[in-house]
Amino acid sequence: MADEPVRLSVDDAFRLARDALIAAGAAPRHADRVAEAVIAAELDSRSSQGLAQIPVYADQLAAGEIDGRAMPEIVQRAPSAITIDAHSGFAHAAIDLGLGEAVPCAAITGCCVLAVAHACRAGRLGPYVERIAESGQIGLAFAGGSAAPGMRGERGPGTDSRPLALAVPRSNAPPLVIDLSMTTVAQGHAMLAAQYGETAPQRELTDVQAGQAADARIGGAAQQGAALSLVIEIVAAALTARVAPVAASAGPDGVELMPESGPVLFLIDPNRLGGEDFGPRLESLLQTVPGGSAVCRQAARSEAARESVRRQGIAVSAELEARLRTLTSRSAPAE
């Protein structure tokens, strides 16, 4: 029988993630941002992007894929556009810096584009667009794809995640957040499969292949999906000066290095572009567009689920908790 999960309070989980990252070589301020992101994933029941990612980041820091002390900087600025160079550091820190500039910019000009270059994987984009929506603006974000370790096969690299997220402010409810990936098997799942010695989430891949064989109609959908992935790749990869997606390269001790994949975020002031009646029009749209009501109900359930996790604590396996505590006991590498 599997071990009973360990429950950690949100504060304890945050400290454990932060301390493990610092011990692996991350600057404290960067460790704060990454820990916030993984805790946000746990609150949303996205455990593949939660605490389980901390050992992955620790390995990437050790391999030199991520410079844990690199300071992001603004390298280009226009009236409605900002480019951040992460200098091979954490995307989380670079986005945090960029949003601090982009949110007030969009409030003045009506819109702003934020591009982050030379950054590690940002993980989920939902929390960042949600932060934008909480400021009263629409947030839209893309990130380019990359082949994840552990996802090889007859068809070649198995995942080009290319996450996409949208968040819209609402007058009488929390922001509506749509957080997607352009793959059936998300990159976070694939990386964890590789981390723990598995080749891939085989059941999910088998289901996809069976569906392709059984239903020829999926060909049209696949073409549309490929076109959307290309749109994301052009917007995210080209604007952030990232090379085209390639398979991960091997780093020290066999750790596979992922290509840098900086995100691009769009901030839009809905009242400046859509007028003061944007809010009522949005609510009407959500009730009339097919699937709109279901998305709203799911968003309400997600808010309730977050509160439940805050009360009950974050459930992790005993194995993962032990691994995180082992990471925190290591000495941080010398600068």
Side-chain angles (χ1 to χ4, degrees):
M1 188 175 76
D3 291 338
E4 287 295 321
V6 177
R7 289 202 175 269
L8 303 171
S9 72
V10 170
D11 289 343
D12 286 345
F14 174 86
R15 284 192 293 268
L16 192 58
R18 179 183 186 274
D19 292 348
L21 290 165
I22 292 173
R29 68 177 70 181
H30 300 342
D32 284 345
R33 302 291 83 77
V34 179
E36 288 168 357
V38 300
I39 295 303
E42 294 287 356
L43 291 174
D44 286 337
S45 300
R46 302 286 189 91
S47 57
S48 68
Q49 295 293 339
L51 290 167
Q53 286 293 323
I54 297 299
V56 178
Y57 286 129
D59 284 348
Q60 291 174 328
L61 286 162
E65 179 187 353
I66 302 174
D67 182 346
R69 298 187 176 277
M71 297 301 297
E73 66 171 326
I74 298 173
V75 292
Q76 292 185 12
R77 188 194 294 268
S80 293
I82 298 168
T83 301
I84 306 288
D85 191 333
H87 297 298
S88 298
F90 282 108
H92 315 70
I95 297 172
D96 183 65
L97 171 65
L99 289 182
E101 301 286 332
V103 168
C105 172
I108 295 172
T109 65
C111 61
C112 185
V113 181
L114 170 63
V116 178
H118 309 127
C120 79
R121 222 168 30 91
R124 294 174 59 223
L125 298 179
Y128 303 112
V129 294
E130 185 172 7
R131 174 177 164 184
I132 293 169
E134 286 171 348
S135 75
Q137 300 166 359
I138 297 172
L140 177 64
F142 307 95
S146 56
M151 296 295 288
R152 306 290 192 262
E154 294 179 359
R155 302 188 182 199
T159 57
D160 286 323
S161 285
R162 297 185 179 90
L164 177 157
L166 170 74
V168 185
R170 301 177 68 188
S171 55
N172 297 315
L176 178 64
V177 181
I178 300 172
D179 195 358
L180 305 173
S181 172
M182 293 297 101
T183 57
T184 301
V185 181
Q187 190 177 64
H189 290 288
M191 295 185 73
L192 290 182
Q195 181 79 7
Y196 291 98
E198 302 172 12
T199 56
Q202 290 296 335
R203 182 184 61 77
E204 295 180 52
L205 290 177
T206 301
D207 289 347
V208 173
Q209 291 167 355
Q212 290 173 337
D215 188 353
R217 289 176 301 174
I218 202 169
Q223 290 180 358
Q224 294 176 1
L228 180 55
S229 291
L230 181 59
V231 169
I232 294 172
E233 198 64 38
I234 291 170
V235 172
L239 284 179
T240 60
R242 189 179 66 83
V243 297
V246 295
S249 59
D253 302 320
V255 175
E256 292 189 316
L257 305 183
M258 302 297 293
E260 295 173 337
S261 179
V264 173
L265 300 92
F266 297 82
L267 296 81
I268 303 167
D269 185 324
N271 293 324
R272 282 181 175 271
L273 273 72
E276 295 297 329
D277 60 344
F278 169 80
R281 287 205 316 275
L282 172 66
E283 297 305 319
S284 175
L285 184 72
L286 292 174
Q287 296 303 315
T288 56
V289 171
S293 296
V295 171
C296 292
R297 288 194 297 271
Q298 179 58 45
R301 287 195 295 269
S302 296
E303 283 298 315
R306 287 180 181 180
E307 289 304 316
S308 177
V309 174
R310 288 190 181 99
R311 291 194 307 270
Q312 298 179 20
I314 295 170
V316 300
S317 68
E319 177 186 3
L320 177 57
E321 186 208 21
R323 189 166 188 189
L324 292 172
R325 295 199 184 280
T326 298
L327 287 172
T328 63
S329 65
R330 295 178 181 176
S331 298
E335 295 187 31

